[in-house]
Amino acid sequence: MKPPMVGAMMGDFPEHAGIIRISHPDPGNIVQVNSSHSKAKGENMIITVEQIEALRPYIENIENLISADDVDALLDAVDDVVIDNILGNNNEPDEEGNRIQRIYDDIAAQNHVYWD
């Protein structure tokens, strides 16, 4: 059975998501999910309302990924969208693929995700 859902400005998030902070009038409408599963203060995923809405058509479980507060899992899902776009366009991303890639890069930067 699915957990009960509660409404939030950017969509529905499972009740166990904890606190969802929306900063206004921040031009990016930053959403910071403070999950009850967070290990330490400052380890909360940062994502904008616009990013969520842009990804929603491609990632059906985006609310669950955000509520889980696992930026790596979210970035993996976004990467899958980019790869599907590339494969569907003769191994070159189209304008939409490039837009999704920029969202991926922005989410990674917002959350200080760096790779060696």
Side-chain angles (χ1 to χ4, degrees):
M1 183 172 162
K2 293 172 86 175
M5 303 295 274
V6 295
M9 287 182 62
M10 75 298 301
D12 293 328
F13 287 87
E15 189 172 317
H16 70 274
I19 299 168
I20 299 174
R21 294 187 187 119
I22 304 174
S23 302
H24 292 286
D26 186 305
N29 290 326
I30 297 293
V31 176
Q32 184 173 2
V33 178
N34 182 6
S35 170
S36 59
H37 304 292
S38 294
K39 293 164 192 66
K41 187 175 181 177
E43 291 187 11
N44 302 316
M45 182 186 313
I46 299 171
I47 187 166
T48 67
V49 172
E50 289 82 6
Q51 290 165 337
I52 294 169
E53 293 306 320
L55 295 173
R56 188 181 307 279
Y58 305 100
I59 304 171
E60 72 178 54
N61 64 337
I62 191 163
E63 288 89 0
N64 293 338
L65 291 170
I66 294 167
S67 295
D69 201 23
D70 185 347
V71 72
D72 290 329
L74 176 64
L75 290 174
D76 285 346
V78 177
D79 189 52
D80 289 345
V81 173
V82 172
I83 290 170
D84 287 347
N85 178 273
I86 290 170
L87 293 176
N89 291 293
N90 297 318
N91 294 325
E92 289 292 329
D94 63 7
E95 185 176 320
E96 188 68 9
N98 288 327
R99 185 175 76 86
I100 301 298
Q101 180 64 53
R102 283 190 300 274
I103 293 170
Y104 175 100
D105 295 341
D106 290 344
I107 293 170
Q110 288 161 199
N111 290 279
H112 306 286
V113 175
Y114 304 102
W115 299 272
D116 293 330

